Amino acid sequence: MPRQVVILGSTGSIGTQALEVAAALPSEIQIIGLAAGSNFELLAAQIGHWKPQVAVIFDESKFADLKNAVGNSPTKLLCGMDGLLEAATWPDSDVILGAMMGAAGLRPTLAAIEAGKDVAIANKETLVAAGEIVMRAARERGIKLWPVDSEHSALAQCLLGEDPNTVEKLTITASGGPFWTKTREEIAAARPENALKHPTWTMGRKITIDSATMMNKGLEMIEACHLFGVGMEKIEVVVHRQSIVHSFVSFVDGSVKAQLGVPDMKLPIQWGLLGAARVEGDAPKLDLLSMGTLSFEAPDDARFPAIDLAREAMKLGGTAPAALNAANEIAVEAFLEGQTDFYGVTSCVAHVLERHENSARPALDDVLNADSRARECAREWLQR
Amino acid sequence: MPRQVVILGSTGSIGTQALEVAAALPSEIQIIGLAAGSNFELLAAQIGHWKPQVAVIFDESKFADLKNAVGNSPTKLLCGMDGLLEAATWPDSDVILGAMMGAAGLRPTLAAIEAGKDVAIANKETLVAAGEIVMRAARERGIKLWPVDSEHSALAQCLLGEDPNTVEKLTITASGGPFWTKTREEIAAARPENALKHPTWTMGRKITIDSATMMNKGLEMIEACHLFGVGMEKIEVVVHRQSIVHSFVSFVDGSVKAQLGVPDMKLPIQWGLLGAARVEGDAPKLDLLSMGTLSFEAPDDARFPAIDLAREAMKLGGTAPAALNAANEIAVEAFLEGQTDFYGVTSCVAHVLERHENSARPALDDVLNADSRARECAREWLQR
């Protein structure tokens, strides 16, 4: 019996790769639900191919276009947040892939958990902004959260069969991004087109800029704290240019485990969708004999202040990580549109964090309010 | 309640390090038995310090010396193979560390397994020569075998929580030994003092020469086949000069796991004695941020033919690995005594393998006979 999968964010980078994973494993994975933000054309094509039970377009203004494009179909078509929530809690589903970008992914992911669904979680914001809430809900329902990014999947794979109380440190690898070999002055002068050239991963624009500032590692550190229930003092980052080792777990006895693979999202997507089961799929294989040389370097806070900002936000806890994340989204957008320079991104985030009025033990509304206030504060700083 | 441990081979390299591990973990490990080959002076000192229930000297001619050296003591003193067998099956013991060199370790290890004891296995010969017998006995009694060398411990650690049927390949790392950067001509002219300079590990003389010929990797490949129940076609070797990554497991889905650590036997010894439990002990910690560069290269069968010989012996199965191991012991001894040149070691082993009359599904006596015949055949070839 294949796993019944709903993909929230099926037209994005993770979503389309998840469908390739599913196509390679028809006896393991059945796609029963699809949801997209606004790309109704690709969603319509996916509906034609996969014939899911349900499909959702979040952007209600595209609902008529979607219906036109799909035409006659047994698939139930829905729109808006209500549609997302219905797909996220779809009765026949075994696992929900949460791959919608931004805050739109948060409520459906939480709804899936509360409905007792396992969640393969590719939406960073969900854990960064609302990690406490999400993890508490997962514990209460006894569901499994499968991380779908290479670093956290690596950590989870290394922790299989191990006692989490024996973890001494989680070390997340970072490619270093396009600016690792540049001076602070060169980085300060970088333009969006420079920052968008990532050495090893092909990803969306927002996450590619996050990789250049290394804020993506900061966000991943916060995620790791939540996913694996450890404090920020147990998380470190090591720069590994080749992106072959995806992360390390160090144990109290001195042993270290690592997970490696070709830099390709299909492996963590498949591992998450199958709930840690391993079958031969569409992911490429790593040839250890021709792997060559792997390098590891300490990060550099002077040139890449984002990691420290994330560390500070996580230590504050409460709604501070939500504010960090929201401010970063606004600042990255501004950088991409030429409204601030490269170090303006982290300066903006630092400013917002300083001004942030923290709420400890926040409810979802507190998180969403902190997110809005931080965006507002970031916009004001950028327009100063 | 600490684990009650008997150490067979307490005066050797692994045995003395095991006692350091035990000294660092008094609430985890209690030494209740010690056994040595012939070093009665060190054994007597160990008895004085650890006050075990039982202690054995294998060399019966040293029994009187041992008794004199120990004097009045509550420790029961024994000698010879009968003594080893009694210590190996000592009623109060939870785990036996099998660290006696050579064929002397085989019968006690097997006796321990048959008595239902968990065995931490540091004696290569046991698995190489009698792997089928040992693994069958372990399965029948439902006991656990914990490998105590860095490579197999690494493989076992990477397999925790994984389905063994999803293993695609086990990749054992090799330092390459002192001759990795030399030409075949230079290696051919190598003398014992050159071969005894190992770049990363400090070990006994026999195993250091095995490292120079890379026969130690051949023996480890055979061990890995038995320990993890896989065919030789699933085992490969990668040369990794830094000896930080101790081995890799590749899974069918494209994921690879590795175990890393400072090159130090205390970690695998402790992990084995504690049966995979992890506590902070005496093993040094690996600093990932200052680890630098790790290199990986394919092995070179032209300069290091031992790996192919081991592959061939394991494919033959039966008593062929026992013959390989015995011939290698004799040939290494001859090399150390200047009776043959460096490539004489592998030529001798190849000759013995060619002459070997194999027995499929051997009993222990068949293995011991094959061992004797191979030694004889090797001696004849060396004196030709």
Side-chain angles (χ1 to χ4, degrees), chain A residues 261-289:
Chain A
V262 174
D264 188 297
M265 288 306 295
K266 282 181 187 163
L267 174 58
I269 291 169
Q270 177 180 314
W271 192 80
L273 290 182
L274 297 183
R278 298 192 186 278
V279 297
E280 185 142 18
D282 201 27
K285 304 274 172 95
L286 178 65
D287 180 1
L288 297 170
L289 296 183

Side-chain angles (χ1 to χ4, degrees), chain B residues 13-14 17 101 122-125 148-152 175 177-178 195-199 201-217 219-220 223 265 328-329 332-333 336 342:
Chain B
S13 167
I14 296 293
Q17 290 181 80
M101 274 202 310
N123 173 277
K124 276 199 167 52
E125 288 76 7
V148 176
D149 56 5
S150 56
E151 294 81 1
H152 300 93
S175 72
L196 286 169
K197 284 188 195 131
H198 193 277
W201 292 96
T202 308
M203 305 172 293
R205 283 159 64 89
K206 156 71 166 55
I207 191 172
T208 303
I209 302 300
D210 284 347
S211 176
T213 62
M214 296 188 74
M215 182 60 89
N216 67 326
K217 291 302 136 184
L219 300 176
E220 287 169 8
E223 284 184 276
M265 288 305 295
N328 181 58
E329 272 190 36
V332 168
E333 219 171 274
L336 283 170
F342 189 76

Side-chain angles (χ1 to χ4, degrees), chain B residues 119-353:
Chain B
V119 174
I121 195 157
N123 173 277
K124 276 199 167 52
E125 288 76 7
T126 302
L127 280 172
V128 172
E132 281 179 45
I133 299 168
V134 167
M135 295 310 294
R136 192 166 53 232
R139 270 195 307 277
E140 283 170 8
R141 302 287 160 154
I143 66 102
K144 294 251 168 88
L145 281 182
W146 301 103
V148 176
D149 56 5
S150 56
E151 294 81 1
H152 300 93
S153 178
L155 293 171
Q157 291 180 53
C158 291
L159 284 164
L160 284 176
E162 300 282 358
D163 175 355
N165 295 315
T166 64
V167 170
E168 182 160 289
K169 198 165 277 182
L170 304 178
T171 304
I172 297 171
T173 55
S175 72
F179 299 151
W180 181 249
T181 58
K182 307 286 184 198
T183 64
R184 192 179 154 98
E185 291 65 39
E186 290 168 328
I187 298 171
R191 301 191 43 78
E193 55 269 32
N194 312 127
L196 286 169
K197 284 188 195 131
H198 193 277
T200 47
W201 292 96
T202 308
M203 305 172 293
R205 283 159 64 89
K206 156 71 166 55
I207 191 172
T208 303
I209 302 300
D210 284 347
S211 176
T213 62
M214 296 188 74
M215 182 60 89
N216 67 326
K217 291 302 136 184
L219 300 176
E220 287 169 8
M221 291 165 80
I222 295 173
E223 284 184 276
C225 288
H226 290 302
L227 275 170
F228 304 109
V230 301
M232 207 31 134
E233 73 287 353
K234 289 196 173 182
I235 313 273
E236 74 181 10
V237 169
V238 66
V239 174
H240 166 51
R241 301 289 287 158
Q242 298 81 19
S243 299
I244 286 176
V245 180
H246 298 315
S247 280
F248 297 92
V249 176
S250 302
F251 296 94
V252 291
D253 61 357
S255 186
V256 177
K257 280 161 82 172
Q259 188 267 341
L260 299 81
V262 174
D264 187 297
M265 288 305 295
K266 281 180 187 164
L267 174 59
I269 291 169
Q270 176 179 314
W271 192 80
L273 290 181
L274 298 184
R278 300 192 186 277
V279 296
E280 185 142 16
D282 202 27
K285 305 273 172 94
L286 179 64
D287 180 1
L288 297 170
L289 295 183
S290 62
M291 180 169 63
T293 294
L294 304 178
S295 65
F296 302 92
E297 301 167 72
D300 179 347
D301 293 329
R303 290 184 303 144
F304 300 97
I307 288 175
D308 261 356
L309 290 171
R311 217 181 266 284
E312 191 189 319
M314 187 64 200
K315 279 181 183 158
L316 290 170
T319 50
L324 170 96
N325 176 62
N328 181 58
E329 272 190 36
I330 297 299
V332 168
E333 219 171 274
F335 172 68
L336 283 170
E337 287 165 17
Q339 289 158 15
T340 188
D341 62 11
F342 189 76
Y343 282 119
V345 175
T346 37
S347 298
C348 175
V349 173
H351 169 81
V352 171
L353 265 190

